[in-house]
């Protein structure tokens, strides 16, 4: 740029009007101040109208173009002026992974699963399997076989786990020690250090000095992961760690730390939780009370039983239950977690009663109600329309206390009208009660529900069943889908169940499904387009089951007997 030629510039910020040439004189360019990189960036972000950059504007160019020219020159100057730094030392080698390598076919399958991206297909109206939904099952199978992850696929595997938290436990277990090594080199994969024992950000539970340092200096997510790791190894040490800084933690952090005590909750936690009942945060107090009520032998559970017992009794005929809800909520009840203000639409006394009953040990009621069993108690009539409120509270208590006997009694038989059972008044409550039962019994109950009532209300119930579905449950689902198709039902109503079936059906059911893939005649009273949709859905289901079977077969080392279990 010619610094001595005649250049006409506008006033520069910081100059005065007297510094400009008077009319009739020749403008002699003054040396323009050198603009800093920060000034150029600020002007570019705000716009030259709002922040004029200190740059010269040659004839024929506007201010915006001059700004870009100056930025280009400054970029070259910054690069040219960069002094080379000393070469960094080579990183230490990753810890060895002694597990056997994947068979070649399984390695190729993993590469395909990792290359697939959500939304890359044509949507649900397609016969192609959804590969992204098969990755969790593939990882679980590889971990069951004890294989090591291929080194060349580790970056893609960590990227997938970064975007999907549901993949992280299985993905990091499969990735092994090299995942931690890579996570030190790429900040995008730092989550591996926070969630995997052995990473520098998560010391071993018995490393007292390292644990204390990370607890005092670490990020919140690291501290939560650390607390969980220490608790799994030494529960008392974890409580001491938490108690040491409890009074200085933020309310939201105290709540998260307290919530982490759900895993492995035991009577040893009672003393700490009792102190938390006096916390200044209402949410912390409520969580502490909930955890204490899950300990039937705790002092809080005994206090709740003392309050709830007078409210529920046998009537004068000894053939039914009478309820007298609390008339007030005192300070002691509030300290024990009872929320005094009822939500909109709920009666105040009913609200208090429900909270007392759900926090009372279920072992209280047989002796209180004439020595009857849970099945007999839930079958008793309840006077004055208190039955829904009382039974709903017992449902919550059974889930909180993980009491399978009461859960079974409240569920009732699956063939009951609407499968409501004596106490389960909603699908959500039934699903929670089912989760308390053993896996095999859970599957049998849901299969009976489907046989009696079809699939229209079964989605939430199927979601709590173990994978893969048992043969009885799988056959019940296939039969119900076939009945829905033959009845000309709207197929879109069953898309959720069909998606679950792709992930959860035993591949052994494939042969029973093949006959359903053909396009049949359109029924006169059926939904328009339903036949084609059903055919595509069953074709996709069959293709997915075959692919899952192939995935399992590929895990078998050459020369070994194939494991046909899904």
């Amino acid at each position: 740029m010619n610094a001595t030629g005649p250049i006409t510039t506008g006033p520069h910020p910081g100059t005065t009007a007297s510094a400009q040439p008077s009319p009739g004189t020749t403008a002699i360019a003054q040396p323009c101040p050198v603009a800093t990189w920060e000034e150029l960036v600020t002007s570019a972000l705000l716009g030259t109208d709002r922040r004029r950059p200190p740059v010269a504007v040659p004839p024929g160019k506007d201010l915006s173009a001059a700004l870009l020219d100056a930025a280009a020159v400054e970029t070259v100057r910054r690069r040219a002026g960069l002094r080379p730094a000393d070469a960094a030392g080579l990183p230490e080698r990753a810890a060895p992974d002694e597990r056997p390598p994947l068979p070649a076919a399984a390695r190729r399958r993993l590469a395909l699963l990792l290359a697939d991206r959500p939304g890359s297909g044509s949507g649900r109206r397609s016969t192609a399997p959804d590969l992204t939904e098969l990755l969790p099952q593939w990882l679980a199978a590889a971990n069951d076989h004890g294989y090591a992850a291929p080194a060349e696929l580790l970056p893609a595997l960590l990227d997938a786990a970064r975007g999907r938290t549901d993949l992280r436990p299985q993905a990091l277990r499969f990735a092994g020690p090299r995942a931690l090594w890579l996570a030190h080199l790429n900040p995008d994969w730092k989550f591996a250090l926070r969630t995997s024992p052995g990473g520098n950000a998560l010391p071993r539970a018995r490393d007292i000095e390292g644990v204390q340092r990370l607890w005092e200096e670490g990020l919140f997510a690291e501290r939560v992961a650390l607390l969980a790791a220490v608790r799994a190894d030494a529960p008392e040490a974890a409580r001491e760690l938490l108690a040491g800084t409890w009074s200085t933690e933020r309310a939201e952090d105290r709540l998260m730390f307290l919530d982490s005590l759900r895993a492995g909750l035991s009577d040893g936690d009672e003393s700490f939780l009792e102190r938390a009942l006096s916390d200044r945060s209402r949410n912390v107090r409520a969580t502490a009370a909930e955890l204490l009520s899950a300990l039937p032998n705790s002092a809080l559970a005994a206090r709740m039983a003392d309050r709830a017992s007078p409210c529920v009794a046998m009537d004068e005929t000894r053939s039914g239950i009478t309820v007298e809800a609390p008339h007030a909520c005192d300070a002691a009840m509030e300290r024990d977690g009872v929320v005094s203000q009822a939500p909109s639409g709920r009666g105040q006394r009913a609200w208090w009663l429900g909270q007392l009953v759900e926090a009372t040990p279920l072992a209280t009621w047989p002796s209180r109600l004439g020595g009857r069993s849970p099945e007999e108690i839930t079958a008793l009539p309840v006077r004055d329309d208190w039955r829904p409120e009382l039974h709903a509270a017992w449902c919550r208590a059974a889930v909180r206390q993980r009491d399978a006997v009461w859960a079974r009694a409240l569920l009732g038989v699956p063939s009951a009208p609407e499968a409501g059972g004596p106490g389960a008044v909603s699908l959500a409550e039934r699903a929670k009660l089912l989760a308390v039962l053993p896996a095999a019994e859970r599957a049998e109950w849901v299969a009976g529900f489907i046989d009696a009532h079809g699939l229209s209300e079964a989605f939430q119930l199927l979601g709590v069943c173990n994978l893969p579905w048992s043969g009885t449950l799988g056959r019940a689902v296939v039969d119900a889908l076939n009945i829905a198709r033959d009845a000309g039902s709207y197929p879109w109503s069953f898309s959720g169940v069909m998606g679950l079936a792709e992930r959860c059906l035993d591949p052994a059911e494939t042969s029973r499904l093949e006959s359903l893939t053909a396009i049949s005649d359109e029924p006169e009273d059926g939904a328009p387009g339903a036949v084609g949709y059903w055919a595509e859905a069953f074709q996709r289901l069959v293709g997915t089951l075959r692919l899952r079977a192939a995935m399992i077969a590929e895990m078998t080392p050459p020369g070994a007997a194939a494991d046909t279990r899904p």
Side-chain angles (χ1 to χ4, degrees):
M1 180 181 298
N2 187 353
T4 60
I7 299 175
T8 302
T9 63
H12 183 271
T15 64
T16 63
S18 61
Q20 302 303 315
S22 59
T25 63
T26 302
I28 304 299
Q30 301 297 322
C32 184
V34 177
T36 65
W37 178 254
E38 289 73 17
E39 289 174 323
L40 296 175
V41 170
T42 300
S43 296
L45 291 174
L46 296 178
T48 56
D49 291 340
R50 298 179 60 190
R51 179 68 61 87
R52 180 184 177 86
V55 297
V57 183
K61 283 197 173 184
D62 59 18
L63 185 57
S64 298
L67 171 62
L68 294 178
D69 288 345
V73 172
E74 179 65 9
T75 298
V76 174
R77 189 191 68 79
R78 284 160 59 89
R79 290 176 177 174
L82 181 66
R83 294 184 178 181
D86 294 334
L90 293 176
E92 296 182 2
R93 294 179 63 88
D97 193 339
E98 305 295 342
R99 295 174 297 176
L102 272 175
R107 186 167 60 250
R108 290 192 294 270
R109 179 72 64 189
L110 175 60
L112 290 174
L113 294 175
L114 291 173
D116 193 70
R117 290 291 182 268
S120 60
S122 57
R124 298 305 292 163
R125 287 305 301 267
S126 167
T127 60
D130 186 351
L131 299 185
T132 60
E133 293 300 326
L134 296 179
L135 184 56
Q137 293 189 33
W138 190 97
L139 290 171
N143 286 329
D144 287 343
H145 284 79
Y147 288 126
E152 69 276 11
L153 295 179
L154 281 174
L157 180 61
L158 288 171
D159 279 340
R162 180 192 177 202
R164 290 180 58 180
T165 55
D166 62 306
L167 286 179
R168 289 182 184 180
Q170 293 281 16
L172 293 177
R173 178 183 169 193
F174 178 58
R178 287 176 294 187
L180 301 179
W181 184 84
L182 287 171
H184 287 297
L185 304 176
N186 187 345
D188 288 345
W189 300 330
K190 191 176 181 180
F191 67 87
L193 301 177
R194 294 195 298 264
T195 55
S196 298
N200 285 353
L202 194 61
R204 298 289 182 182
R206 299 189 183 278
D207 179 5
I208 298 176
E209 183 179 348
V211 165
Q212 191 65 39
R213 182 171 56 253
L214 182 58
W215 181 252
E216 294 175 356
E217 302 174 2
L219 300 174
F220 175 70
E222 294 169 339
R223 299 177 72 210
V224 171
L226 176 67
L227 183 65
V230 174
R231 183 171 173 79
D233 186 72
E236 185 176 353
R239 288 193 298 270
E240 291 177 356
L241 197 67
L242 187 55
T245 60
W246 183 258
S247 61
T248 62
E249 304 286 357
R250 300 183 305 168
E252 55 267 33
D253 292 352
R254 294 198 305 276
L255 182 62
M256 291 295 294
F257 288 138
L258 202 62
D259 197 64
S260 69
L261 299 184
R262 294 181 188 277
L265 184 67
S266 69
D267 291 338
D269 298 317
E270 181 181 0
S271 177
F272 179 83
L273 293 173
E274 273 285 345
R275 292 196 298 273
L277 288 177
S278 301
D279 195 88
R280 55 188 179 273
S281 167
R282 183 180 64 182
N283 291 334
V284 171
R285 294 195 302 270
T287 301
E290 179 188 346
L291 294 175
L292 282 168
S293 66
L295 299 173
N297 298 321
S298 67
L300 179 138
R303 295 193 296 270
M304 289 299 196
D306 290 341
R307 296 176 179 123
S309 294
C311 299
V312 182
M314 298 299 298
D315 62 17
E316 63 276 6
T317 66
R318 311 295 295 174
S319 60
I321 296 175
T322 182
V323 172
E324 180 66 27
H327 289 274
C329 179
D330 56 31
M333 290 170 61
E334 290 193 60
R335 181 183 182 275
D336 284 346
V338 177
V339 179
S340 61
Q341 186 61 44
S344 177
R346 292 289 302 276
Q348 198 83 299
R349 295 179 63 200
W351 172 245
W352 297 333
L353 174 73
Q355 294 179 83
L356 294 182
V357 172
E358 71 177 278
T360 296
L362 289 165
T364 303
W365 303 113
S367 59
R368 174 67 178 165
L369 300 175
R372 291 174 172 81
S373 68
E375 290 80 3
E376 293 170 331
I377 290 173
T378 55
L380 290 172
V382 183
R383 288 190 173 185
D384 301 326
D385 297 326
W386 281 104
R387 183 178 183 273
E389 192 71 46
L390 179 61
H391 283 211
W394 277 337
C395 285
R396 296 191 296 272
V399 172
R400 184 179 296 184
Q401 298 172 35
R402 310 299 297 175
D403 192 312
V405 175
W406 273 87
R408 198 173 291 119
L410 290 161
L411 276 167
V413 295
S415 58
E418 300 181 1
V425 295
S426 71
L427 282 171
E429 285 177 331
R430 273 175 269 173
K432 291 176 182 178
L433 289 170
L434 281 169
V436 177
L437 301 180
E441 183 179 357
R442 195 184 314 163
E444 289 290 331
W445 197 96
V446 177
F449 175 91
I450 293 172
D451 288 339
H453 306 286
L455 287 169
S456 60
E457 293 186 344
F459 182 76
Q460 290 188 62
L461 307 182
L462 287 168
V464 300
C465 294
N466 282 19
L467 186 154
W469 290 337
S470 68
T472 302
L473 179 56
R475 287 188 292 273
V477 171
V478 172
D479 290 343
L481 287 171
N482 192 18
I483 291 171
R485 184 197 66 157
D486 291 343
S489 301
Y490 284 98
W492 307 276
S493 302
F494 301 93
S495 58
V497 174
M498 193 68 77
L500 279 177
E502 292 176 18
R503 300 190 296 275
C504 305
L505 266 179
D506 189 332
E509 298 292 330
T510 304
S511 58
R512 298 184 65 240
L513 288 164
E514 288 178 340
S515 62
L516 305 179
T517 60
I519 299 179
S520 58
D521 294 334
E522 190 88 45
E524 294 182 1
D525 55 349
V531 169
Y533 182 98
W534 279 112
E536 287 183 1
F538 281 120
Q539 290 168 15
R540 183 174 58 250
L541 179 56
V542 168
T544 301
L545 294 181
R546 287 174 175 162
L547 180 55
R548 285 174 52 203
M551 284 167 38
I552 300 302
E554 291 165 355
M555 295 284 181
T556 305
D563 185 357
T564 59
R565 294 174 300 172

